[in-house]
């Protein structure tokens, strides 16, 4: 557990429970919906990470090809 500087007027005692880990604490309905959406998005991304990597590589190749053609065209026009 790390000790953070406390604002003036606060005690310097360490907390027995980390912030946000209190067993009585419950997220609000909005917090639960947000957490569900984030976890769902993360699971979706994990399931499709191979497809995403392929699409990223495809886009990088298209970009490199377009750059090469542009440079060759520029070179041809200046000669």
């Amino acid at each position: 557990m790390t000790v953070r500087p406390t604002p003036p007027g606060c005690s310097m005692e360490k907390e027995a429970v980390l912030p946000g880990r209190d067993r009585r604490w419950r997220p609000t309905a909005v917090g639960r919906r947000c957490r569900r959406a984030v976890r769902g998005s993360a699971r979706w991304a994990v399931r499709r990470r191979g497809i995403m990597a392929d699409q990223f590589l495809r886009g990088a190749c298209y970009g490199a090809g377009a750059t090469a053609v542009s440079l060759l065209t520029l070179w041809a026009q200046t000669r």
Side-chain angles (χ1 to χ4, degrees), residues 6-60:
T6 58
C10 295
S11 66
M12 294 295 290
E13 296 176 11
K14 292 182 181 178
E15 294 181 12
V17 178
L18 292 174
R21 302 285 185 189
D22 187 7
R23 298 209 184 275
R24 294 171 293 175
W25 179 81
R26 296 281 185 253
T28 62
V30 173
R32 286 191 297 269
R33 281 195 305 268
C34 183
R35 183 187 313 167
R36 193 177 312 126
V38 168
R39 284 185 180 170
S41 299
R43 288 181 185 146
W44 178 86
V46 166
R47 285 194 308 266
R48 289 165 178 80
R49 66 178 167 238
I51 295 169
M52 288 189 295
D54 291 342
Q55 292 296 323
F56 180 79
L57 180 61
R58 183 180 184 187

